[in-house]
Structures are given as structure tokens and as C-alpha cells.
Amino acid sequence: MLMKRAVWMAASLLLGLAGTTHAADAHFVASDVTVNGHHYPFQVFVPADWTPDRAWPVVLFLHGSGERGSDNQAQLKQGLPPWLEKHGADFPAVVVAPQAPNDTLWNGEVERAAMAALEKSISTYHGDRSRLYLTGLSMGGYGVWQVAVDHPHVFAAAAPVCGGILGLDDEPELKVNGVPAGVDPYAWVANRVKPTPVWIFHGSLDDQVPPADSRAMYKALTKAGGEVRFTEFPGVNHGSWVPTYDSPALWPWMFSHRTGGAG
């Protein structure tokens, strides 16, 4: 009886040890940062097989206006996070998804909070500073341009989706800040963004953010000598993030780029 019990315990121990070697599933982890005394929540997608034994690419994802709030959940409803829920089992990068408070945009303190969330995630999840990437949709597409203007040498590549540069008729505050009066805004942005390779995405029938803004940025970046691609989806309205993140060439293109940052 004692022998049988010893054999059973040994087998159980071996099974337990084997269980600890199984790779964890990809998952989201809630976190937060504090900027100027204000609390900003964010979520982090942690890849399956994540380990601190190597450096990882990190993607910063900026959500749209409908996902603003303070619940640290709404930013997971559109764009890249739902795509990761379906297709992220083999996704090879950490993804940082901050949440902007209600009635804010991706500029000023909220932009600094997004960058602080990125910095905290780099430290926590052993991010590779030469492989930082930037993407966002709608309001977050404007945010991609803003962050790329303000941090031109940080990101190895960027993918703005249905974003723009100029303010909208019904939302004039939604624009890239810092453009001096009297200059061509597209050329000004392009000259600051051009160190960062950019792939622009937009729907041809977008009735919320004009695709003309993305077309103008593609022309301006081409003229400025930046590395740029532009995909305009025929017959697609504002929700161009769905075909964007389903594009099989997007992530190989993004991850093929590196900056000179140390890991």
C-alpha cells in the first residue's frame, strides 16, 4: 500500500511539473499609469509563449472615439483587440492598448499617458526598443499621426487607419496639433513623420473621416522621401479597420522594420 501511494505521488508530481511547462495562452492583462496625478488605465496583450528570456516587439494601439472612458474594457471592442481575440494565438508581439478618457483626444496629457503605458509595458514585458510599432483607428488614426510627429524616431513603423490631419467640420478639434499657421499641413507632417515607415489605410466611401486626407498624406510622404504605402479599400465606409487588420501582408511588413533603439 505504501509503495502504491509513493508511486502515485511521484506520478502526480511529474504530471504537475509537466503542467507547469505548458505554454500560457495569449491573454490581456489590465494595468495603469499615473500622469500628472491622473490615473490612466490600459490593457496589455501578452503573446502565448511569452518569456523574459528574449526581447519582444511591442505594438501601441490607439482606439477610436467610441471606445473612450475609464472602464479599461471599451478599447478592446474595435480594431486590433478583437482581431487578436480571434487570431492572436500565434501573434508574436506584445500589444499595448491604452484608454483615453471621455471627451479627450490623443494629444497632450493623454498622449503622454499612452507613451507612459508603452514605456511601462516595455519594462514589464521585456520589449525590444528597436521593434516598437504604432497603429490606431479613426480618432486613433489621428493619434498615430500625432504620436509619429511628436516621436519621429521611436517607432519602427506605423499604420494609421481611417485617420486624418485636418479638423472635421463637426469636430474641428480632432486634428494633428502643432501645425504652424500658413504652411501646408500635409508637407509639415510628412517632413516630421518621414523617419517612420508608414502604411496608410482608408475606405473609399468613408463618410466620417475624408479619404482625401489619407490620399494627401500619401502624396506628401512620397514627395518628402518617406517610406510609405497606401491601401484604399473600394466600397468600404468608416470601418476600414476590419479589412486592415485582416490584411495578411500588414504584420510581416510592420515587423520587417527596426530602428536603432537598443533592446
Side-chain angles (χ1 to χ4, degrees), residues 19-79:
T20 63
T21 65
H22 290 171
D25 292 335
H27 59 286
F28 282 92
V29 176
S31 190
D32 64 272
V33 290
T34 300
V35 177
N36 294 337
H38 300 137
H39 170 80
Y40 290 93
F42 67 95
Q43 294 272 354
V44 181
F45 173 84
V46 182
D49 299 328
W50 181 88
T51 169
D53 295 336
R54 65 180 180 88
W56 290 80
V58 183
V59 179
L60 177 61
F61 168 74
L62 304 179
H63 64 73
S65 60
E67 293 77 63
R68 289 177 290 192
S70 58
D71 64 351
N72 206 15
Q73 290 294 319
Q75 79 269 37
L76 304 181
K77 292 181 179 179
Q78 297 283 2

Side-chain angles (χ1 to χ4, degrees), residues 3-259:
M3 179 64 71
K4 287 183 179 180
R5 181 175 175 81
V7 169
W8 178 84
M9 290 178 66
S12 298
L13 179 60
L14 287 172
L15 287 172
L17 289 173
T20 63
T21 65
H22 290 171
D25 292 335
H27 59 286
F28 282 92
V29 176
S31 190
D32 64 272
V33 290
T34 300
V35 177
N36 294 337
H38 300 137
H39 170 80
Y40 290 93
F42 67 95
Q43 294 272 354
V44 181
F45 173 84
V46 182
D49 299 328
W50 181 88
T51 169
D53 295 336
R54 65 180 180 88
W56 290 80
V58 183
V59 179
L60 177 61
F61 168 74
L62 304 179
H63 64 73
S65 60
E67 293 77 63
R68 289 177 290 192
S70 58
D71 64 351
N72 206 15
Q73 290 294 319
Q75 79 269 37
L76 304 181
K77 292 181 179 179
Q78 297 283 2
L80 183 53
W83 185 88
L84 289 168
E85 291 284 2
K86 293 180 180 179
H87 307 289
D90 300 317
F91 195 72
V94 172
V95 178
V96 183
Q99 185 176 30
N102 290 327
D103 303 317
T104 67
L105 303 171
W106 294 112
N107 54 41
E109 184 176 294
V110 178
E111 179 186 356
R112 292 193 292 275
M115 294 302 291
L118 174 64
E119 186 64 33
K120 182 175 180 178
S121 300
I122 292 169
S123 296
T124 303
Y125 296 100
H126 202 191
D128 183 345
R129 293 186 186 277
S130 71
R131 293 185 291 167
L132 304 180
Y133 305 96
L134 176 63
T135 187
L137 62 91
S138 192
M139 183 186 93
Y142 282 84
V144 168
W145 291 120
Q146 185 73 65
V147 171
V149 162
D150 295 338
H151 306 275
H153 298 283
V154 170
F155 295 95
V161 185
C162 59
I165 304 300
L166 304 182
L168 304 174
D169 290 342
D170 60 345
E171 216 172 345
E173 70 279 3
L174 182 57
K175 62 181 180 180
V176 173
N177 287 353
V179 181
V183 304
D184 179 343
Y186 302 107
W188 185 89
V189 170
N191 282 317
R192 281 149 185 79
V193 168
K194 70 177 180 180
T196 307
V198 177
W199 192 342
I200 305 167
F201 295 88
H202 219 118
S204 67
L205 299 183
D206 196 325
D207 59 5
Q208 296 188 43
V209 178
D213 243 25
S214 286
R215 296 171 193 149
M217 274 310 306
Y218 173 68
K219 291 178 181 178
L221 275 168
T222 300
K223 185 176 181 179
E227 181 184 340
V228 59
R229 295 184 178 191
F230 179 40
T231 296
E232 186 170 309
F233 299 107
V236 173
N237 202 313
H238 191 53
S240 53
W241 51 84
V242 175
T244 293
Y245 295 123
D246 275 340
S247 299
L250 171 60
W251 297 113
W253 175 84
M254 289 274 272
F255 295 146
S256 71
H257 294 86
R258 291 175 179 255
T259 65

